[in-house]
Each structure stands twice: as structure tokens, then as C-alpha cells.
């Protein structure tokens, strides 16, 4: 049997003409942004602005008083209108909620999670007797490790991986508002909320367990602010929504390494030597060439000028959508030395894979440490290569990675 996630129900291809246009733009994003950075770095037409240069992208991320996140409307569907820190633009409120959740989901747990990730990856690979599908392989690791860590189980008759994938697609990869996906997520979210409510109630009647849910309940028992039943449910559901990014990042990084045999060989040597820090450099430098989110959206809260004092200064009008082109920023030669060169020793500050400023990804430290470990056992294998035929090329479904098959020599 080949290593892949069990019976994972894939979503239907969506988008029509809009999807085709989005796919074309994604395929040619680097060329488009290269031209934009030089010719018209800030496009500002009506209620849409596109910002392409590194300095301006970082300014947008840091100006949360003037440019708000746009996750709220869809999160309201998932969370039944309960507030979640992802939509908080007020620094004090945002930081209060993040700091509270970090009491239960602790960066200090990363070494234990790293050990669990490595063990699960090795076990899955040991069970494989043929080519491995990277997206499913990484998805299985992520959901096995993090569902245990969070204390979240699947609702009866549901696959937790599939639930997380649909919620992720709806929240982060549905730019044109697919009606069928919306209806599916309304139903799935209600099932998941009811399940988490029952799980929270059940866990209160059981002996304490040292997982994220158990810690939340212990903090609730101590009267800590931010840990009501509904707040715990909302936090766990929010973490579930974001979980698929781990498998998607892993697949994108692997695809870029496969395109570069010399860099792949060096990454394999690092995997075999156990130099995880250097291996992380290869993983996230690879991702710079095809980031999970080429563009992150913001909305102007008021009329506000960006790039003030430069020839490109532009006033973006209130309520305008702003496309913050992180892929372009990470290839901008004004701030990135030799941007077309693969350099795994770049400082972490180079990367915008997890945003910047107030809304830097909550799980950035976890992702930075664990994604390379998902790939490490595969990279150790001799003869690592694409699977034959079309399976050996990265396939996307609704703009996000769906399948990438690799093969390797069986003797190890």
C-alpha cells in the first residue's frame, strides 16, 4: 500500500471562469509581480489596490489601525458569530486573547511535538510499500499529532481531516464565494461546534489530561479570563481551521526542491545528518518561490496614504480592498539580495510566509519547527524523485495543493 491519508473525500473543482482566471494568475504570478514592481508598484483603481514592493507590503502589515483583516465574515459562519482573535485589530484585545491561548497552546511544547511528528512520519513511511503522496502523508501526520495535542476528536461519522480541509478552503481559498462550499461549511461548522460543546462537557467529568483542551479547562476552573466554554470551543475550532496549512506548506516546499536537484541533494544530506535548523532553511527558502498565500487581503478602515514621501505615494480610500502581495515582496530585489538565487541561509526576517505585525500567524513557531520534520524521513530516502507520469507533478484543487507523488529506492 502506498502512503497516503485514508479515504480522504476531496472537494469538487470549483470556480468556473473566475477559477480559471485565478489559476492563470497564480501560474504567472512571479512575472506579473516583476512587471508591477517596476512599472506601477501600487495599483489603485476604484476600491481595489495591489501593493507589490517589499517596503509597502510590510507597511501595510504594520498599519493595522488603518488596514483591517478580512477574515471576519467567513469566520462568523464557522464560529456562529463568536469573536476570535484572528479578526481583532485592536492591539490590546488581540494580544490579550493570543496570550491567553498561549497558556494552553505553548511554544514550550514544540520539542515534544517535534518528537511526535518525527515518530509519526517515520511510522507512516515504514508502512509504505510504494510511492508516497506528499500532501496526504503530511496531512496524516499533522492531524494525528495535533488532534492528540489539542484533545480534539472527530464528530461521529466524520473525518476530522476532511472537516478541517473544507473549513480551510472556505476561509482562505475561496476568493469568489462558492455557494456550494458555503452551504457545506454552514452544515459542517454546526456539526463541529455541537461536537466540541459535547466534548468540553464530557471532559469536565473525566480526570484531567495534559492536552490543550485539558489546560483550557484547568484555567477555566481557576477563574482565568478568556476560558468560558464558548471561548474554548471557538479557540479549538479556529486552530482546526488553520491546521491544513502544515500539509500544504510541506507539499509546496517538496515541489520546489524537486525542481532543483542540487538543492534537493543538499537538503537530503542535512536530513540524514539531523541538522534540522539548516533543513528548515531549505524548506522555507523553497517556499519563497511558491508561497501558500501569494497575496493576503486587507481592507482600508479609512483614507490613508502609503509609501508617503516617495514618488509612488498613494492614498487608498476607505473600504477599498488591498491585495498585499507577499510573494512579490519576497522577490523584491530592493530588499532581497539576489532574489532569483536559492539561498537557504537567508535570515528568517526575509520571509513573509506567516505574515507580519499584529496578525503574524499564531502557530508560526510551531510551523517553522515541525514542517521540516514532516519531510525529513522522506528526504532521507535514497533515490528520492517524482513518481512517474502525471502523478509526479504537483496537482492543485481549487488553487491549493492537492496531490504530489514521490518515489524512492526501496532499500534503506
Amino acid at each position: 500500500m502506498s502512503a497516503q491519508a485514508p479515504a480522504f473525500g476531496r472537494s469538487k473543482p470549483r470556480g468556473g471562469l473566475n477559477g480559471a482566471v485565478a489559476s492563470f494568475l497564480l501560474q504567472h504570478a512571479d512575472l506579473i509581480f516583476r512587471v508591477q514592481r517596476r512599472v506601477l508598484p501600487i495599483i489603485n483603481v476604484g476600491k481595489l489596490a495591489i501593493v507589490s514592493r517589499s517596503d509597502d507590503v510590510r507597511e501595510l502589515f504594520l498599519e493595522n489601525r488603518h488596514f483591517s483583516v478580512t477574515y471576519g465574515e467567513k469566520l462568523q459562519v464557522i464560529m456562529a458569530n463568536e469573536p476570535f482573535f484572528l479578526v481583532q485589530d485592536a492591539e490590546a484585545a488581540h494580544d490579550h486573547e493570543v496570550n491567553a491561548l498561549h497558556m494552553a497552546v505553548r511554544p514550550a511544547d514544540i520539542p515534544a511535538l517535534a518528537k511526535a511528528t518525527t515518530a509519526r512520519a517515520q511510522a507512516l513511511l515504514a508502512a509504505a510499500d510504494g510511492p508516497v503522496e506528499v500532501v496526504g502523508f503530511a496531512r496524516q501526520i499533522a492531524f494525528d499529532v495535533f488532534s492528540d495535542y489539542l484533545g480534539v476528536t472527530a464528530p461521529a461519522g466524520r473525518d476530522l481531516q476532511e472537516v478541517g480541509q473544507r473549513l480551510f478552503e472556505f476561509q482562505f481559498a475561496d476568493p469568489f464565494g462558492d455557494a456550494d462550499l458555503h452551504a457545506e461549511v454552514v452544515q459542517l461548522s454546526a456539526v463541529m461546534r455541537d461536537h466540541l460543546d459535547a466534548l468540553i462537557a464530557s471532559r469536565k467529568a473525566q480526570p484531567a489530561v495534559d492536552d490543550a483542551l485539558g489546560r483550557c479547562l484547568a484555567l477555566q476552573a481557576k477563574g482565568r479570563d478568556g476560558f468560558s466554554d464558548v471561548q474554548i470551543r471557538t479557540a479549538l475550532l479556529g486552530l482546526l481551521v488553520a491546521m491544513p496549512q502544515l500539509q500544504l506548506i510541506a507539499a509546496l516546499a517538496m515541489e520546489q526542491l524537486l525542481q532543483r536537484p542540487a538543492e534537493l541533494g543538499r537538503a537530503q544530506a542535512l536530513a540524514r545528518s539531523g541538522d534540522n535548523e539548516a533543513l528548515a532553511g531549505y524548506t522555507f527558502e523553497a517556499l519563497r518561490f511558491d508561497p501558500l498565500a501569494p497575496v493576503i487581503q486587507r481592507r482600508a478602515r479609512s483614507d490613508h496614504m502609503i509609501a508617503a514621501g516617495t514618488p509612488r505615494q498613494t492614498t487608498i480610500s476607505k473600504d477599498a480592498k488591498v491585495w498585499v502581495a507577499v510573494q512579490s515582496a519576497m522577490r523584491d530585489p530592493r530588499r532581497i539580495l539576489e532574489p532569483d538565487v536559492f539561498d537557504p541561509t537567508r535570515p528568517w526576517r526575509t520571509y513573509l510566509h506567516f505574515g507580519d505585525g499584529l496578525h503574524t500567524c499564531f502557530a508560526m513557531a510551531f510551523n517553522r519547527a515541525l514542517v521540516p520534520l514532516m519531510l525529513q524521513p522522506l528526504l532521507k530516502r535514497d533515490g528520492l524523485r517524482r513518481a512517474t507520469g502525471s502523478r509526479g507533478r504537483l496537482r492543485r484543487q481549487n488553487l491549493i495543493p492537492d496531490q504530489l507523488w514521490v518515489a524512492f529506492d526501496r532499500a534503506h
Side-chain angles (χ1 to χ4, degrees):
M1 179 181 296
S2 301
Q4 58 180 320
F8 180 77
R10 291 182 167 84
S11 59
K12 298 177 181 178
R14 299 187 302 273
L17 179 60
N18 285 335
V21 171
S23 180
F24 175 86
L25 293 175
L26 183 65
Q27 185 177 0
H28 300 283
D30 184 51
L31 175 60
I32 293 168
F33 288 138
R34 191 185 299 263
V35 172
Q36 186 194 343
R37 285 194 304 268
R38 176 172 296 184
V39 177
L40 193 60
I42 302 173
I43 296 173
N44 188 28
V45 180
K47 289 295 184 179
L48 175 65
I50 306 174
V51 177
S52 63
R53 288 192 184 175
S54 177
D55 288 352
D56 305 335
V57 164
R58 290 189 181 275
E59 179 182 348
L60 261 295
F61 279 134
L62 297 175
E63 286 283 5
N64 51 282
R65 293 175 302 161
H66 301 288
F67 298 96
S68 62
V69 294
T70 58
Y71 307 124
E73 184 176 342
K74 290 189 173 182
L75 274 177
Q76 287 175 353
V77 174
I78 296 172
M79 308 296 189
N81 298 313
E82 292 296 332
F84 186 56
F85 67 81
L86 194 61
V87 300
Q88 287 278 9
D89 287 307
E91 291 187 23
H94 174 275
D95 290 349
H96 176 76
E97 292 187 28
V98 167
N99 292 336
L101 186 54
H102 268 314
M103 287 190 278
V105 182
R106 307 175 304 198
D109 297 329
I110 289 174
L113 286 168
K115 185 177 180 180
T117 296
T118 299
R120 189 66 185 119
Q122 290 173 340
L124 284 175
L125 198 55
D129 59 5
V132 170
E133 198 284 290
V134 178
V135 181
F137 175 75
R139 179 174 58 236
Q140 187 73 58
I141 298 166
F143 276 83
D144 285 351
V145 170
F146 274 95
S147 61
D148 285 347
Y149 174 67
L150 296 177
V152 174
T153 59
R158 299 284 184 175
D159 181 339
L160 193 62
Q161 296 180 31
E162 189 171 350
V163 172
Q165 182 82 2
R166 292 295 180 276
L167 299 184
F168 180 91
E169 288 180 22
F170 175 71
Q171 183 65 54
F172 299 113
D174 180 36
F176 304 111
D178 182 84
D180 290 341
L181 179 61
H182 185 279
E184 184 180 10
V185 166
V186 167
Q187 193 266 340
L188 280 177
S189 299
V191 169
M192 200 65 209
R193 291 193 304 269
D194 289 346
H195 173 67
L196 288 172
D197 286 341
L199 182 62
I200 290 167
S202 173
R203 286 286 298 272
K204 288 181 180 181
Q206 299 173 7
V209 177
D210 187 29
D211 54 23
L213 174 52
R215 293 171 189 166
C216 286
L217 292 174
L219 290 162
Q220 180 190 80
K222 293 178 180 178
R224 290 292 185 96
D225 180 44
F227 293 97
S228 69
D229 286 1
V230 171
Q231 287 171 316
I232 294 171
R233 179 192 75 194
T234 300
L236 293 175
L237 189 51
L239 294 172
L240 176 66
V241 171
M243 205 180 298
Q245 69 178 310
L246 288 157
Q247 78 232 21
L248 304 178
I249 290 169
L252 288 168
M254 178 62 79
E255 167 64 22
Q256 290 300 310
L257 289 173
L258 289 168
Q259 291 181 22
R260 298 169 172 81
E263 283 74 18
L264 174 62
R266 296 186 189 105
Q268 289 190 271
L270 292 169
R272 291 171 186 138
S273 71
D275 191 341
N276 296 330
E277 186 66 27
L279 181 60
Y282 276 79
T283 303
F284 293 104
E285 175 68 359
L287 195 63
R288 185 174 67 87
F289 290 87
D290 189 10
L292 178 58
V295 172
I296 295 176
Q297 189 167 285
R298 292 289 189 265
R299 187 180 300 277
R301 299 163 65 95
S302 59
D303 292 355
H304 185 74
M305 179 181 290
I306 63 170
T310 73
R312 65 185 185 279
Q313 68 179 26
T314 303
T315 297
I316 298 177
S317 61
K318 181 181 179 181
D319 294 328
K321 290 182 180 179
V322 186
W323 289 2
V324 187
V326 296
Q327 178 172 346
S328 179
M330 290 191 289
R331 302 291 295 275
D332 185 352
R334 294 159 191 82
R335 290 290 177 264
I336 309 300
L337 182 65
E338 297 184 301
D340 295 330
V341 173
F342 190 104
D343 180 1
T345 66
R346 296 185 191 275
W348 181 253
R349 176 67 178 165
T350 301
Y351 303 120
L352 290 166
H353 303 312
F354 305 108
D356 195 11
L358 184 70
H359 290 288
T360 299
C361 177
F362 173 85
M364 180 179 71
F366 294 83
N367 296 344
R368 183 179 177 182
L370 301 182
V371 171
L373 297 180
M374 292 179 170
L375 296 176
Q376 185 189 52
L378 271 175
L379 290 169
K380 287 182 176 180
R381 295 292 175 139
D382 294 334
L384 181 65
R385 60 195 180 273
R386 297 183 187 276
T388 57
S390 61
R391 295 199 310 171
R393 298 290 170 181
L394 179 67
R395 189 181 83 176
R396 297 177 190 264
Q397 182 87 314
N398 304 318
L399 306 182
I400 61 177
D402 180 57
Q403 290 189 54
L404 172 62
W405 290 83
V406 295
F408 44 83
D409 298 342
R410 304 313 308 171
H412 181 64

